[in-house]
C-alpha cells in the first residue's frame, strides 16, 4: 500500500477534506478511543434487554415492533454520534438475527415505524412534551386496531416508558468518551 505524502508551505491553507475523508477520520478516532468497542457491548446489552422484555398476549407482535422502533430511535437520539449509534444498532440487529431470526424478520413494520417516526418528527427537539410515552401508547393502540381502548393505550405507554428508561441506563453505563 502506498502512502501519499503532501507537503505544505507555511502560510498555505490546510486542504479541504471530503465528506468521506472526514467520516474516515471520525471512524478512526472512535475506534482508537474505544468507543466502537463500547458501542458493540451496548448493542449486545440492548439485544439482551430487548429479548428479555415481558412481551406476551394478544398484541405481542405490535409490542415487539414498538420495542424495535424504540431501540433504534433512542440510540439515534441519545448517543449523539452517528458512527457510535449505528455501530450499536448494527450489533443489536446482528445478534437479534442470530438469536431469534423469526423475530428479527417481523419487528420492522414499515407502517408502524412511519407512524412512530411521524410522532417523533412532530416535536422538535425530541424532548418536546408532545413526544411522550402516552403519544406512543396511542399510536400503539391504533396499530393494534384498538384506538379508543384505554388499557391498550396504557400497555403501549408502559412498555414505551419502561424500555426507554432501560435504554437510557444502558447508554449511560456504556461510558462513551466524548471529546
Amino acid at each position: 500500500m502506498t502512502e501519499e505524502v503532501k507537503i505544505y508551505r507555511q502560510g498555505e491553507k490546510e486542504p479541504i477534506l471530503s465528506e468521506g475523508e472526514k467520516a474516515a477520520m471520525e471512524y478512526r478516532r472512535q475506534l482508537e478511543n474505544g468507543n466502537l468497542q463500547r458501542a458493540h457491548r451496548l448493542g449486545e446489552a440492548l439485544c439482551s434487554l430487548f429479548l428479555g422484555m415481558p412481551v406476551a398476549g394478544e398484541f405481542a407482535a405490535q409490542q415487539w415492533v414498538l420495542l424495535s422502533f424504540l431501540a433504534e430511535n433512542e440510540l439515534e437520539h441519545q448517543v449523539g454520534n452517528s458512527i457510535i449509534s449505528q455501530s450499536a444498532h448494527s450489533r443489536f440487529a446482528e445478534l437479534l438475527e442470530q438469536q431469534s431470526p423469526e423475530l428479527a424478520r417481523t419487528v420492522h413494520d414499515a407502517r408502524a415505524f412511519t407512524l412512530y417516526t411521524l410522532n417523533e418528527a412532530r416535536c422538535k427537539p425530541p424532548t418536546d412534551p408532545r413526544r411522550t410515552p402516552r403519544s406512543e401508547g396511542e399510536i400503539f393502540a391504533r396499530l393494534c386496531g384498538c384506538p379508543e381502548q384505554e388499557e391498550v393505550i396504557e400497555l403501549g405507554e408502559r412498555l414505551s416508558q419502561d424500555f426507554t428508561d432501560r435504554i437510557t441506563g444502558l447508554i449511560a453505563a456504556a461510558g462513551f468518551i466524548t471529546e
Side-chain angles (χ1 to χ4, degrees):
M1 184 182 280
T2 314
E3 288 192 37
E4 203 174 290
V5 178
K6 295 181 181 180
I7 300 173
Y8 296 96
R9 296 190 182 123
Q10 263 187 335
E12 285 187 17
K13 292 182 180 179
E14 291 280 323
I16 297 175
L17 299 176
S18 72
E19 290 303 310
E21 290 169 319
K22 289 177 188 176
M25 287 175 63
E26 178 63 14
Y27 181 86
R28 172 170 271 166
R29 189 174 73 83
Q30 296 302 330
L31 181 63
E32 289 172 354
N33 72 14
N35 278 349
L36 289 180
Q37 291 81 4
R38 289 177 187 88
H40 287 195
R41 286 193 301 270
L42 173 59
E44 292 164 1
L46 184 56
C47 186
S48 292
L49 173 63
F50 181 86
L51 291 172
M53 290 300 288
V55 171
E58 179 183 358
F59 307 113
Q62 282 303 324
Q63 290 176 60
W64 287 120
V65 170
L66 173 57
L67 292 174
S68 178
F69 170 79
L70 290 170
E72 185 174 324
N73 189 63
E74 294 304 316
L75 283 172
E76 181 182 326
H77 288 317
Q78 291 190 40
V79 171
N81 179 293
S82 63
I83 292 172
I84 297 171
S85 64
Q86 289 170 4
S87 294
H89 188 266
S90 292
R91 183 66 177 147
F92 163 80
E94 175 186 13
L95 289 174
L96 183 59
E97 178 65 37
Q98 289 172 5
Q99 295 175 19
S100 186
E102 183 64 29
L103 181 58
R105 282 189 290 280
T106 61
V107 295
H108 293 289
D109 177 331
R111 177 175 174 255
F113 269 57
T114 298
L115 291 174
Y116 289 123
T117 300
L118 288 173
N119 180 52
E120 180 74 22
R122 270 182 338 161
C123 46
K124 295 290 180 193
T127 56
D128 184 304
R130 290 179 293 170
R131 182 196 177 257
T132 63
R134 176 70 183 188
S135 65
E136 289 167 344
E138 291 167 350
I139 293 168
F140 172 80
R142 272 192 7 219
L143 291 166
C144 291
C146 309
E148 303 298 322
Q149 284 189 308
E150 189 60 32
E151 62 273 8
V152 179
I153 294 170
E154 289 174 358
L155 171 63
E157 182 178 8
R158 280 191 313 273
L159 195 60
S160 175
Q161 184 65 58
D162 182 38
F163 196 56
T164 298
D165 289 347
R166 291 178 185 213
I167 293 170
T168 299
L170 288 178
I171 292 170
F176 292 116
I177 295 172
T178 56
E179 301 167 355

